[in-house]
Amino acid sequence: MSATRYTYLGPEGTFTEAALRTLPEAATRELVPMVSVPAALDAVRNGEAAAALVPIENSVEGGVTATLDELASGEPLMIYREVVLPIAFALLVRPGTKLSEIKTVTGHPVAQPQVRNWLRAHLPEAVWESAASNADGARLVQEGRFDAAFAGEFAAATYGLEPLVTEIHDAENAETRFVLVGRPARPAAPTGADKTSVVLWLGDDHPGALLELLQEFAVRGVNLMLIQSRPTGAGIGNYCFAVDAEGHIADRRVGEALMGLKRICPKVRFLGSYPRAGVSAEDVRALRRGTSDAEFTAASDWLARVQDGRA
Ligand SMILES: O=C(O)C(=O)Cc1ccccc1
């Protein structure tokens, strides 16, 4: 096991690399670019790396399906940190290329929905073909495979390209969330501003099946932050659900919600409890009156007194 190596969706120059370098510990780690999300995660599974940073969600297109599917299958992995990065694309070209000369464009598959309107307005005839990542697209432009790539402006120098257009983003304040994934271990202690990620498989389909899952959170005052269905591969109509819930598995209401889900779901995969990026415990206390663990514990203590006839 290499305790000092972190992998990430490469090659050099991805937003994923930029997100990884915002983590303090990245300064003392060997950062290794990988050709795909599965490759980055498999390096952790086989002990070649201690952790991998991969994109998991963006504010325009939702979940990054390659990551959600990889975390829902295969040898279990756990999420330990998240990083949220504002995303603005630059159109990277070989020096001297004019906008009128661009016939083919590339970028990560989830980049296209984030620049769709810009493309329609400025390059309506350009043909899009996805690359493994935005920086991989830049590399392919350098090699002459495409005329332009949507990537971070910071990637231009790495691939001898120039940013013909900058600050391209259809949606204001577009963000992408990345997660640092490692082998399963005890989650870090609660911070008061955590989230818990799980993957849930539905049992026999029946009216209200999904509601029964959601109720395990709702009745305990646990707020959901993401729910994304993904095909299980067992045929049309067979789905699992990636769910992010506010709180930490060590919180009674979150732990009891997971116990309830374990009772009603044929399969539950715990992906981790970890600090929410950019949110403090004070923020959470101010927002979630009535659902903090203290209120839940007080109600639980009251029930115990009633059960003992000491109400
Ligand atoms: O990290 C990158 O550059 C990627 O290709 C993944 C990605 C895709 C779209 C927005 C942010 C990150």
Side-chain angles (χ1 to χ4, degrees), residues 71-152:
L71 294 178
S73 60
E75 186 184 325
L77 291 168
M78 260 180 75
I79 300 171
Y80 292 93
R81 299 283 297 277
E82 69 173 9
V83 176
V84 176
L85 209 57
I87 300 292
F89 292 95
L91 188 68
L92 304 187
V93 298
R94 291 179 295 275
T97 303
K98 299 183 180 63
L99 201 60
S100 58
E101 297 169 329
I102 297 173
K103 306 301 177 202
T104 56
V105 294
T106 186
H108 185 279
V110 305
Q112 187 182 20
Q114 300 183 56
V115 299
R116 181 181 292 133
N117 295 338
W118 188 92
L119 274 172
R120 184 183 296 120
H122 299 89
L123 291 173
E125 304 306 319
V127 175
W128 174 285
E129 185 176 327
S130 291
S133 71
N134 299 313
D136 188 46
R139 180 183 62 81
L140 292 170
V141 170
Q142 179 189 41
E143 293 179 0
R145 175 75 179 75
F146 298 108
D147 297 328
F150 288 90

Side-chain angles (χ1 to χ4, degrees), residues 8-306:
Y8 65 91
L9 174 61
E12 290 89 351
T14 55
F15 288 109
T16 308
E17 180 189 13
L20 179 55
R21 292 185 183 280
T22 68
L23 294 176
E25 65 266 35
T28 57
R29 296 295 190 284
E30 177 194 3
L31 308 184
V32 179
M34 305 298 279
V35 294
S36 67
V37 165
L41 297 177
D42 282 348
V44 178
R45 290 186 168 116
N46 65 28
E48 291 169 10
L53 194 85
V54 292
I56 193 167
E57 179 188 9
N58 77 77
S59 54
V60 173
E61 192 66 359
V64 178
T65 55
T67 303
L68 295 174
D69 294 348
E70 272 298 307
L71 294 178
S73 60
E75 186 184 325
L77 291 168
M78 260 180 75
I79 300 171
Y80 292 93
R81 299 283 297 277
E82 69 173 9
V83 176
V84 176
L85 209 57
I87 300 292
F89 292 95
L91 188 68
L92 304 187
V93 298
R94 291 179 295 275
T97 303
K98 299 183 180 63
L99 201 60
S100 58
E101 297 169 329
I102 297 173
K103 306 301 177 202
T104 56
V105 294
T106 186
H108 185 279
V110 305
Q112 187 182 20
Q114 300 183 56
V115 299
R116 181 181 292 133
N117 295 338
W118 188 92
L119 274 172
R120 184 183 296 120
H122 299 89
L123 291 173
E125 304 306 319
V127 175
W128 174 285
E129 185 176 327
S130 291
S133 71
N134 299 313
D136 188 46
R139 180 183 62 81
L140 292 170
V141 170
Q142 179 189 41
E143 293 179 0
R145 175 75 179 75
F146 298 108
D147 297 328
F150 288 90
E153 187 176 349
F154 48 78
T158 304
Y159 298 98
L161 305 178
E162 68 180 21
L164 187 58
V165 183
T166 59
E167 289 304 313
I168 300 172
H169 45 76
D170 289 351
E172 287 302 319
N173 310 316
E175 295 179 318
T176 291
R177 185 164 68 92
F178 305 82
V179 288
L180 187 71
V181 177
R183 298 167 75 89
R186 172 182 289 274
T191 64
D194 303 297
K195 70 169 66 171
T196 293
S197 297
V198 294
V199 183
L200 307 170
W201 281 258
L202 279 178
D204 299 331
D205 190 19
H206 60 274
L210 181 55
L211 178 61
E212 291 166 12
L213 299 194
L214 302 181
Q215 277 179 330
E216 293 298 328
F217 292 107
V219 295
R220 295 174 176 87
V222 177
N223 184 46
L224 299 186
M225 308 168 76
L226 173 141
I227 180 164
Q228 173 115 20
S229 64
R230 289 300 301 150
T232 63
I236 293 287
N238 289 278
Y239 293 95
C240 61
F241 295 86
V243 176
D244 287 353
E246 275 186 20
H248 191 287
I249 191 170
D251 299 339
R252 289 182 66 169
R253 67 200 189 288
V254 174
E256 292 195 13
L258 297 189
M259 284 168 56
L261 291 164
K262 187 63 180 172
R263 285 198 304 271
I264 64 176
C265 296
K267 184 178 172 187
V268 176
R269 177 170 282 199
F270 173 67
L271 292 183
S273 289
Y274 48 96
R276 293 165 59 185
V279 178
S280 70
E282 292 71 26
D283 298 335
V284 173
R285 269 196 290 277
L287 277 174
R288 295 285 174 238
R289 166 98 188 106
T291 58
S292 75
D293 233 39
E295 281 87 355
F296 194 86
T297 302
S300 179
D301 294 345
W302 167 82
L303 175 66
R305 290 196 301 274
V306 172

